[in-house]
Amino acid sequence: QLVESGGGSVQAGGSLRLSCTARTGTFRSACMGWIRQVSGKEREGVASIDSDGETTYADSVKGRFTISLDKAENTLLLQMTGLKRDDTATYYCALDPSCERLALGAATSWGQGTQVTVS
């Protein structure tokens, strides 16, 4: 089970940090990441991190978002800075054996989603 927190409303240029917690051991294998979706639009893979710590970012968030994993706390984090209106979406924590699939917005395990609104 993946549980997200940290969404909210912020003005453009602001920052938010999303968290995703899971049972111990959940993040030890597979690719972990964040996928976002705006109603009526396709899902977009935002960022991912694999078991070796290698990270991948969508071009739209490079330089602004940072994904990290706190293994001790079994928590996946997404630090978002320089937020833009286009970042407004529901953000989902997700797991999949493939980081390539996460980049395409697909995953085998999903959190419930947390809303990020940038005005």
Side-chain angles (χ1 to χ4, degrees):
Q1 182 180 8
L2 305 174
V3 180
E4 300 108 333
S5 62
S9 297
V10 65
Q11 291 187 336
S15 301
L16 284 173
R17 188 176 76 163
L18 305 184
S19 299
C20 174
T21 58
R23 291 194 311 266
T24 300
T26 298
F27 294 141
R28 289 179 184 171
S29 61
C31 191
M32 304 144 280
W34 296 89
I35 294 170
R36 67 186 181 187
Q37 186 170 27
V38 176
S39 180
K41 295 187 178 181
E42 293 187 355
R43 291 189 295 259
E44 176 188 21
V46 175
S48 66
I49 183 169
D50 68 14
S51 56
D52 292 326
E54 184 171 345
T55 58
T56 305
Y57 296 93
D59 288 343
S60 58
V61 306
K62 281 181 181 176
R64 299 188 297 120
F65 290 11
T66 303
I67 189 171
S68 62
L69 177 64
D70 184 336
K71 294 181 180 180
E73 297 295 329
N74 298 304
T75 300
L76 183 69
L77 302 169
L78 184 68
Q79 180 67 47
M80 305 184 292
T81 62
L83 282 162
K84 305 175 181 179
R85 289 185 176 182
D86 286 349
D87 295 320
T88 295
T90 301
Y91 285 71
Y92 298 90
C93 176
L95 302 180
D96 195 88
S98 168
C99 285
E100 287 72 23
R101 274 174 47 85
L102 279 179
L104 295 174
T108 53
S109 299
W110 296 83
Q112 81 283 2
T114 186
Q115 179 66 34
V116 171
T117 302
V118 185
S119 60

